[in-house]
């Protein structure tokens, strides 16, 4: 998990370049699919949109959980190299 998080943190996804955020969505989609989630991507008008994942299998008596986050890093491309 720590390795995956470090990899995601190194992907530069400035807010004002939504097309770069799709790189993080691609990585998350691959990982979540391998963990048994079905993935939906929702388009955004001015953003990269949303990535939504649901467990393929979940017992009916188990309550769902919501994990919410963002995929943009705010900083301009090239900032990671100077950190």
């Amino acid at each position: 998990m720590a390795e995956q998080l470090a990899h995601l943190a190194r992907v530069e996804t400035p807010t004002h370049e939504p097309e770069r955020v799709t790189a993080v969505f691609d990585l998350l989609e691959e990982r979540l699919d391998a963990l048994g989630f079905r993935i939906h991507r929702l388009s955004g008008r001015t953003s990269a949109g949303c990535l939504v994942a649901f467990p393929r299998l979940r017992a009916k008596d188990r309550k769902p959980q919501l994990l919410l986050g963002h995929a943009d890093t705010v900083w301009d491309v090239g900032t990671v190299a100077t950190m």
Side-chain angles (χ1 to χ4, degrees):
M1 185 177 187
E3 183 180 317
Q4 183 70 34
L5 182 58
H7 182 71
L8 287 169
R10 288 189 294 272
V11 179
E12 296 182 299
T13 56
T15 306
H16 60 278
E17 295 185 48
E19 66 280 357
R20 294 185 69 94
V21 177
T22 59
V24 168
F25 285 172
D26 291 343
L27 291 169
L28 289 171
E29 182 173 347
E30 180 181 322
R31 183 71 176 139
L32 289 166
D33 180 62
L35 290 170
F37 287 80
R38 54 189 167 91
I39 312 298
H40 298 283
R41 287 196 192 196
L42 306 173
S43 299
R45 287 187 221 153
T46 60
S47 71
C50 296
L51 180 79
V52 182
F54 299 93
R56 286 191 190 99
L57 300 173
R58 180 175 58 87
K60 293 195 184 278
D61 62 335
R62 298 213 43 201
K63 294 185 178 186
Q65 296 178 344
L66 174 66
L67 174 64
L68 196 60
H70 66 94
D72 63 330
T73 57
V74 182
W75 302 295
D76 291 330
V77 173
T79 303
V80 171
T82 64
M83 293 179 137

